[in-house]
Amino acid sequence: MNGTEKRELAVRNKHNGMNCCQAVIAVYAEELGIDIETAKKLGAAFGMGMGNMSGNCGALVGAQMVLGLKEYTGRPVAAKARSVYAQFAGRCGATICIDIKGVTTGRVLCSCDDCVANAVDILEELED
């Protein structure tokens, strides 16, 4: 898949009921050598808490998990993860969904597709 197809898949995953973290990880499942169910399990715990966490973004966490799964090493992944956060914050604030999804409602999914699309875009840029 090219970057556009991956971006569209992430958005479809989200619309099909995956949380933002799962939606991003699932795009890279085959590349990571895991199946979709495993991808969904990896992202489930993070997504379940997203509705009540005020400082985290599921899509951002998913992107950072993909980096870790691809690279298997500590320091380089940590540096890239910080870079991903900085790029993410410049695109949609990294915590913008706090206001959209409502921290008091506990809803896991926000209505905005930008987060998962931005996560895929940033991962693809890191590949180039």
Side-chain angles (χ1 to χ4, degrees), residues 42-123:
L42 284 170
F46 290 94
M48 291 308 290
M50 286 293 114
N52 295 314
M53 290 182 178
S54 58
N56 291 317
C57 166
L60 174 62
V61 171
Q64 292 172 328
M65 288 175 73
V66 168
L67 279 177
L69 289 165
K70 279 185 169 188
E71 306 217 4
Y72 309 108
T73 54
R75 289 179 191 255
V77 171
K80 282 189 178 180
R82 283 191 296 275
S83 170
V84 166
Y85 182 85
Q87 292 180 58
F88 210 94
R91 294 179 198 211
C92 68
T95 55
I96 192 170
C97 57
I98 296 165
D99 298 324
I100 296 171
K101 66 185 171 181
V103 245
T104 57
T105 64
R107 284 186 298 155
V108 174
L109 296 176
C110 64
S111 58
C112 176
D113 296 332
D114 288 349
C115 56
V116 294
N118 285 338
V120 169
D121 286 347
I122 291 166
L123 286 169

Side-chain angles (χ1 to χ4, degrees), residues 19-35:
N19 67 48
C20 299
C21 187
Q22 291 170 319
V24 173
I25 296 169
V27 169
Y28 294 90
E30 186 176 330
E31 202 174 308
L32 295 168
I34 59 176
D35 59 47

